[in-house]
Every structure is written in structure tokens, then in C-alpha cells.
Amino acid sequence: MAVRKNQADLTATEKRNFVDAVLELKRSGRYDEFISTHNAFIIGDTDDGERTGHRSPSFLPWHRRFLLQFEQALQSITPSVMLPYWDWTADRTPSSSLWADDFLGGDGRSGDGRVTSGPFAFGSGKWPMNIRVDGRTFLRRSLGTGVRELPTRAEVDRVLAMSVYDAAPWNSSSDGFRNNIEGWRGPNLHNRVHVWVGGQMTTGASPNDPVFWLHHCFIDKLWADWQRMHPKSGYLPTGDTPDVVDLHDTMKPWNDVTPADMLDHTKFYTYV
Amino acid sequence: MSRPTRRQVLHGSAAALAGAALAAPVAFADTAAAHPADGHGQAAGDEPSGGHEMPMPFDEMYQGRHIEGWPADEEGGQNGGHHSSGSHAEHRAGQAGPHDGMDFVVRIDNNDLHVMRNADGSWISLVNHYETFTTPRALARAAVRELQGADLVPVVTG
């Protein structure tokens, strides 16, 4: 069975294989298609209009499918590669091995935020910003500047304890597990991590930073943890909700997969 | 949803005070660098958007950048010379309906910054997409700080 691991537990070879596969997707142009897709949904998803990838119940199954597609693209380069997850409640400082030069590289430098070390640094020549919201062509980070602290385990546990998946009006003002983990309400988990990393991670083109995938992989794991804690709580809503993806509605852009298809991650991978 | 009149916006004083207090650390950061471009921009633009009131237009220099904003469907007005076509082009093609009249155009040095209003009346931009701001003006100023002099470019959504 395919296993997704904590990034802190990866071997040197696993890190290298992951990085090399990501760089190859970038070189071939396939990586940027993922950025474009994400950016299009970020712009198109609105609280009082159609919403699929964000600020809606399908935030979790949409990103589960998006990550699966990216993971499959990586595996077309190196079949053994799996997405790792970043538990930011545990590895919560810029000195974490996540940010070492043999993996994602370090913080941005002061002044312009440019990442200057690791495989994704501008100087490597292998990580151009082709899909961007401003003129800067280098990966940027500003770890812990936009917000000082990453979410704590206690904050995560508080959100995991919420037994209702989602609630009307099914957007950024909702109560329930989904909006609290997304971060528009409550202690702010997912959104806050984007802000903590800074740089492109704060923009609609956030997959420009490879840490996007490790962050969302942990969000995906937390959804799996929540399902195990609340076996009687299902995805909501289950039908006839305008502008919102119901349990058995297909999701754009794939149009052949529903939230129901995404509920059981063990069909695809397990977590350790 | 009916759009409030300007008078309703101006008289939303309770919400305005609460919003202003929340917005203050961001909206008034680096005020020494902020030079109102005209007489009415500075005060009017700080009207918060609490609830569903449409914020007032603004037009100022902030940290050396020209930031301006106005309701997207406002005809004529201070920015009548350039319409919001660029901003709307970034939306899904032909999008209208519930957002009509609720959108706000924000520009930095004449380039469109895509912005969005949340259900609670707060705002986000494409540059700061995971944190909310009380007003489009606060959002524009945050974007200027984030851009560090870089120009916005037209959004590619594939």
C-alpha cells in the first residue's frame, strides 16, 4: 500500500527523489498547469456564487483530488515517490529540516524575500515563476513574518473535535469542521500557514512554492483523522444546494469525480 | 441583494467605528508615507465595509505607489476615465449575477489588483489571499507592502 509519510521522517533518498521529480515536472511545463488551475479556482470561488476549490464544503475533497493528480504526475517521473506531509504543529520553526538545503531550501533573504538556497532558489535556474501575480520571477518566503506563530496542536485538536462537517451557508462564514480547518473561522489553521510561509504562498498562485503540497497533505491527513474520530459524521450538504458541490455532484475541473468518491483515502494511500 | 446608497454607507456609523478600530493597525501603518492624492480620498476611503455596505472610493499615494479603488459599477465618478474592464476580465468569462454591483476595483499604479469580498464584509486580494482586511484600502496598502516595488501583472488562469 502506498504510504504518505511525515516529511521529518523521509530518508535522504526519498527527499532527493521527491525534489528531482518536482523539478522534472517544472522543466516539462506540467507543474505550472497545477498553479494555473489553483489560481483559476482561487479567483472563481466566491462566497455568494459558484464555489468549488475553496470557501466551500468541497475544499477538502477538491484538494484531495488535486493532490492525487499531482502525486500521480510525480509518480510518472519516479514511481516510488509519495507526497510527504508537513505537521506544522510539530515542525514549527525556520530551523526545521523541512527548510534545509537538501529539501525545500530556506527562508527568504531580508530586503526582497528571495530564497537563495536549496533546489528551488532562483540561482539554481530550475525554478522560474511563470504563473505569477507580479513581476518578480524568484521564489520568495518570509517565514514567520506575516503571522508570528503556526497553529498549535491544541488548536488543531479543538477543530478536530467539531463533529459537524460543514453548515449553511456553506462558505467562509460557516460553522463546522471544514471552515474551521480552512481558517476563515476559529483558530485559523490552513489559511494561517499560508500567511506564515509568506512569499508566493500568500497569493492565489501559492503552488509556486513546493511547500504548498506538504501543507495540503497535512490538511488532508487531518481530514482523515477527523473522519476516524467522527465515524457517524458525513460530508455535507447531500443534495440540491445551489452553487455548492453536494455529496454526489461532480467537481470541476475533472467533472468525473464527486466528494463521495474522495471520502475514503485508503483506496489511494494511507498515512503514517 | 440591493446595493446600499452612499448615504446609507455614510450613516453606518456604528459599524464604521468598530471597523475602523479593527483596521487601524493596518490601515494607518506608515501614514507618513501616505499622501492623499486629492481632498476627499483620504477620509472617504477609510470607511470600513462592515456588513454589506459598499466602501467609498479612495485615491492616494502610499509608499510611492498610486493606489485607488472604487465600486466597479460606479459610472462617471472620480475614475470615470478608465472603466473596470481589466478587473472583470480576470473573473470567469461573462460572470455577472450576484456579484453585479458588489465588486470593487482596486488598482496599483494603474494595474488591476483582483479583490474579493467575503460573506462577513471583509476583503481579500490575489496578493494576500489567505488573510482578510476590513477595507479595500487596507488591502491595497498591504499589497503595496507585499509587492516591495514590483508591478502587478495580468493574471494567468490557464
Side-chain angles (χ1 to χ4, degrees):
Chain A
M1 170 53 86
V3 175
R4 290 181 176 177
K5 295 181 180 178
N6 188 319
Q7 60 80 26
D9 298 328
L10 295 187
T11 66
T13 301
E14 287 169 331
K15 289 181 186 180
R16 191 168 59 244
N17 286 344
F18 175 79
V19 166
D20 287 350
V22 168
L23 290 174
E24 174 56 22
L25 287 184
K26 184 69 164 182
R27 191 201 60 76
S28 70
R30 293 167 71 190
Y31 191 95
D32 288 343
E33 294 172 16
F34 287 94
I35 305 173
S36 294
T37 296
H38 187 268
N39 199 35
F41 276 83
I42 274 273
I43 290 172
D45 296 325
T46 58
D47 273 341
D48 54 0
E50 186 177 333
R51 47 200 185 275
T52 302
H54 306 87
R55 56 181 65 237
S56 61
S58 45
F59 168 71
L60 291 167
W62 190 92
H63 281 85
R64 177 165 283 176
R65 181 67 185 80
F66 192 55
L67 263 63
L68 267 171
Q69 189 178 21
F70 182 71
E71 189 173 60
Q72 287 160 3
L74 293 174
Q75 289 166 351
S76 74
I77 311 294
T78 305
S80 65
V81 169
M82 296 293 296
L83 283 183
Y85 64 87
W86 168 32
D87 178 352
W88 23 254
T89 71
D91 296 306
R92 47 189 302 109
T93 72
S95 60
S96 160
S97 61
L98 172 69
W99 308 110
D101 290 352
D102 66 345
F103 201 19
L104 300 190
D107 197 359
R109 69 187 180 189
S110 62
D112 64 3
R114 181 182 304 198
V115 172
T116 59
S117 65
F120 306 101
F122 183 71
S124 79
K126 295 179 176 174
W127 201 249
M129 300 287 105
N130 301 315
I131 310 297
R132 56 186 190 265
V133 302
D134 62 64
R136 291 170 288 183
T137 56
F138 48 89
L139 179 65
R140 292 175 293 113
R141 291 180 187 136
S142 191
L143 305 181
T145 302
V147 59
R148 189 177 296 277
E149 297 291 339
L150 287 162
T152 64
R153 187 68 222 182
E155 288 170 324
V156 166
D157 288 342
R158 183 146 65 88
V159 171
L160 287 176
M162 298 175 178
S163 60
V164 177
Y165 178 76
D166 206 344
W170 320 110
N171 63 19
S172 75
S173 65
S174 290
D175 290 325
F177 170 69
R178 187 276 311 168
N179 197 35
N180 275 271
I181 194 171
E182 189 169 359
W184 303 111
R185 282 288 176 274
N188 187 354
L189 304 184
H190 154 268
N191 283 350
R192 197 200 321 179
V193 176
H194 277 273
V195 176
W196 187 88
V197 174
Q200 280 85 1
M201 271 288 275
T202 69
T203 75
S206 47
N208 266 305
D209 193 326
V211 80
F212 172 92
W213 308 102
L214 285 74
H215 170 34
H216 270 278
C217 194
F218 186 55
I219 294 293
D220 186 80
K221 179 182 185 296
L222 292 178
W223 183 25
D225 294 342
W226 177 86
Q227 287 175 304
R228 209 166 37 250
M229 290 171 65
H230 306 279
K232 294 194 169 110
S233 299
Y235 179 94
L236 294 172
T238 55
D240 297 325
T241 315
D243 293 327
V244 171
V245 181
D246 293 308
L247 178 63
H248 296 291
D249 292 345
T250 57
M251 292 186 287
K252 296 175 181 179
W254 310 286
N255 298 317
D256 62 354
V257 62
T258 69
D261 297 328
M262 288 292 107
L263 297 183
D264 179 12
H265 68 284
T266 65
K267 292 187 290 188
F268 311 107
Y269 53 83
T270 58
Y271 281 110
V272 294
Chain B
M1 191 176 297
S2 66
R3 188 157 100 67
T5 65
R6 180 159 303 196
R7 181 179 301 162
Q8 285 171 318
V9 171
L10 288 170
H11 288 174
S13 54
L17 285 171
L22 286 169
V26 170
F28 299 131
D30 203 2
T31 44
H35 307 291
D38 56 40
H40 67 271
Q42 178 84 337
D46 284 330
E47 288 292 336
S49 63
H52 287 83
E53 299 147 351
M54 183 56 76
M56 299 296 284
F58 61 92
D59 185 330
E60 68 176 21
M61 293 298 291
Y62 178 72
Q63 294 193 354
R65 309 294 295 269
H66 179 206
I67 61 174
E68 56 186 333
W70 66 93
D73 63 347
E74 188 166 88
E75 297 294 333
Q78 67 182 72
N79 298 292
H82 44 227
H83 270 285
S84 57
S85 55
S87 173
H88 276 200
E90 295 164 12
H91 287 69
R92 279 182 291 205
Q95 184 177 27
H99 285 291
D100 230 19
M102 296 299 287
D103 273 336
F104 205 85
V105 176
V106 174
R107 289 189 173 170
I108 300 177
D109 292 343
N110 290 325
N111 291 317
D112 286 307
L113 173 63
H114 183 273
V115 305
M116 185 187 294
R117 187 206 291 259
N118 296 315
D120 67 356
S122 63
W123 296 78
I124 58 173
S125 82
L126 197 58
V127 169
N128 298 96
H129 214 282
Y130 301 92
E131 56 187 316
T132 60
F133 298 90
T134 317
T135 66
R137 181 195 194 97
L139 163 159
R141 288 178 169 186
V144 165
R145 294 191 296 272
E146 178 68 24
L147 287 167
Q148 296 179 308
D151 282 328
L152 292 168
V153 297
V155 177
V156 178
T157 56

